[in-house]
Amino acid sequence: MPSHSSMCKLKHNPWVLCYIALSLLFPLCEGKRVAVIGSGVGGTSAAYFLKQKAPDTDIHIFERNERIGGRTYTINFRGVEVDVGAESISSDNPYLSSFVSKFNLTSDLDS
């Protein structure tokens, strides 16, 4: 049985909670239309996991802003591309790390 501290970490990890919630919903979504609100990391992850587990689901992502990505985006500051936002994303997050590997993403920190 996991320790109390590991259960608390698991219980309060939004990635884990999102995946658990979606896992319960996958069978209900198969072949249906689903709306995902927001195109940040959470919304796009929810849509991705749902499509993997329930491929016949018709998924529509709705975003209120003119761009996708939520708090993750790049601006041009005096001729230099600068990543801003998403300070809470950590390379220690196993789900984020698996996305980086799966989609062949890199960063300047990798080199």
Side-chain angles (χ1 to χ4, degrees):
M1 176 130 189
S3 70
H4 176 70
S5 63
S6 67
M7 289 295 286
C8 287
K9 287 178 188 173
L10 181 68
K11 189 167 84 171
H12 292 97
N13 184 327
W15 291 84
V16 171
L17 292 176
C18 177
Y19 189 79
I20 290 170
L22 286 172
S23 295
L24 297 172
L25 293 174
F26 292 148
L28 301 174
C29 296
E30 187 67 39
K32 302 223 168 63
R33 293 177 69 190
V34 174
V36 174
I37 310 301
S39 67
V41 172
T44 54
S45 295
Y48 174 80
F49 287 129
L50 179 57
K51 197 64 169 177
Q52 295 299 305
K53 297 293 184 180
D56 291 334
T57 304
D58 183 17
I59 302 170
H60 297 266
I61 300 175
F62 295 90
E63 174 57 56
R64 70 176 172 179
N65 296 312
E66 294 179 5
R67 61 171 186 77
I68 62 170
R71 294 183 297 148
T72 305
Y73 59 101
T74 303
I75 63 170
N76 187 299
F77 180 74
R78 297 183 180 176
V80 176
E81 297 288 310
V82 179
D83 291 328
V84 295
E87 293 87 2
S88 65
I89 294 177
S90 168
S91 61
D92 292 336
N93 184 317
Y95 301 99
L96 181 61
S97 297
S98 70
F99 277 159
V100 169
S101 296
K102 183 175 199 73
F103 299 115
N104 297 316
L105 302 174
T106 61
S107 74
D108 291 338
L109 298 176
D110 293 334
S111 49

